Amino acid sequence: MQFIPLHAEDAAGIQRMSALASEIVKEHFDPLIGAAQNEYMIAHFQTPEAIASQLASGYHYFFVCDDTGAPIGFLAYVLESTRLYLSKFYLHKSQRRKGYSRAMRDFIVAAARNAGLSQIELNVFKHNDSTIATYEALGFQRLRDEATDIGGGFILDDYPSIKKMAGTPQTCSIPAISNA
């Protein structure tokens, strides 16, 4: 498995990423959210212009390729002050259940650790049962329900989820000290 970075100056690569993203996202999400919402989201988040803008604002995009170099998926993340936010984590349907998700997770974990971060966050559509199960198997835990108006009369209905990596300091409540 290979992770091939996409660079902001690679216009042809950005076009290929947009086409790959649209293909995979349509295959997966049309049945879940309907073609109209999916087309709206692709038009706002997966066009070459949107990807170029994301790259310019600090996002890291990667083609996920099999051992022959054929693209089988993609991922994207942005490093923030306290976390790695995983924005995209997609595989072609024919490539699922082959262990690629674990390799992708390991790649993301290494990126977070290399940046000195100890947690990864993402949002997952709350009716996307197979993906929720995959993320939970990869060590992510749901934080809450979240509905976000994305315009066009559409709502993202998600579970923000987190993966804290080994060695992550855990917060705890410290009881107040009594003066009595």
Side-chain angles (χ1 to χ4, degrees), residues 6-174:
L6 178 62
H7 301 287
E9 64 278 359
D10 183 0
I14 291 170
Q15 290 286 340
R16 286 193 308 276
M17 179 64 73
S18 177
L20 177 66
S22 295
E23 179 182 335
I24 294 173
V25 169
K26 287 181 74 50
E27 168 191 69
H28 189 74
F29 279 103
D30 274 3
L32 292 173
I33 63 174
Q37 180 168 345
N38 205 19
E39 286 295 332
Y40 178 86
M41 292 175 64
I42 289 168
H44 284 81
F45 305 117
Q46 300 301 331
T47 62
E49 298 78 17
I51 292 170
S53 176
Q54 291 166 29
L55 286 166
S57 69
Y59 277 73
H60 301 267
Y61 268 81
F62 294 85
F63 290 97
V64 176
C65 300
D66 66 14
D67 291 334
T68 70
I72 59 171
F74 69 103
L75 53 84
Y77 63 83
V78 64
L79 300 170
E80 299 177 346
S81 62
T82 60
R83 67 183 186 164
L84 179 149
Y85 180 74
L86 181 57
S87 176
K88 318 279 188 291
F89 190 94
Y90 293 104
L91 281 170
H92 272 292
K93 187 175 186 175
S94 65
Q95 301 303 315
R96 296 180 196 143
R97 302 200 179 280
K98 295 183 178 184
Y100 292 133
S101 292
R102 288 200 186 282
M104 291 167 68
R105 184 252 347 245
D106 292 347
F107 179 81
I108 293 298
V109 166
R113 285 198 171 124
N114 288 340
L117 302 173
S118 58
Q119 64 186 30
I120 300 167
E121 292 187 37
L122 57 82
N123 284 34
V124 59
F125 177 59
K126 70 168 58 170
H127 303 291
N128 192 352
D129 296 332
S130 65
T131 300
I132 291 168
T134 297
Y135 285 140
E136 288 176 350
L138 294 175
F140 287 86
Q141 297 177 323
R142 295 181 211 173
L143 294 173
R144 64 188 170 279
D145 288 357
E146 186 173 272
T148 305
D149 185 337
I150 60 169
F154 299 113
I155 302 290
L156 285 181
D157 202 10
D158 289 340
Y159 291 127
S161 300
I162 189 169
K163 176 176 179 55
K164 292 189 176 192
M165 295 173 287
T168 303
Q170 301 294 314
T171 58
C172 61
S173 298
I174 300 172

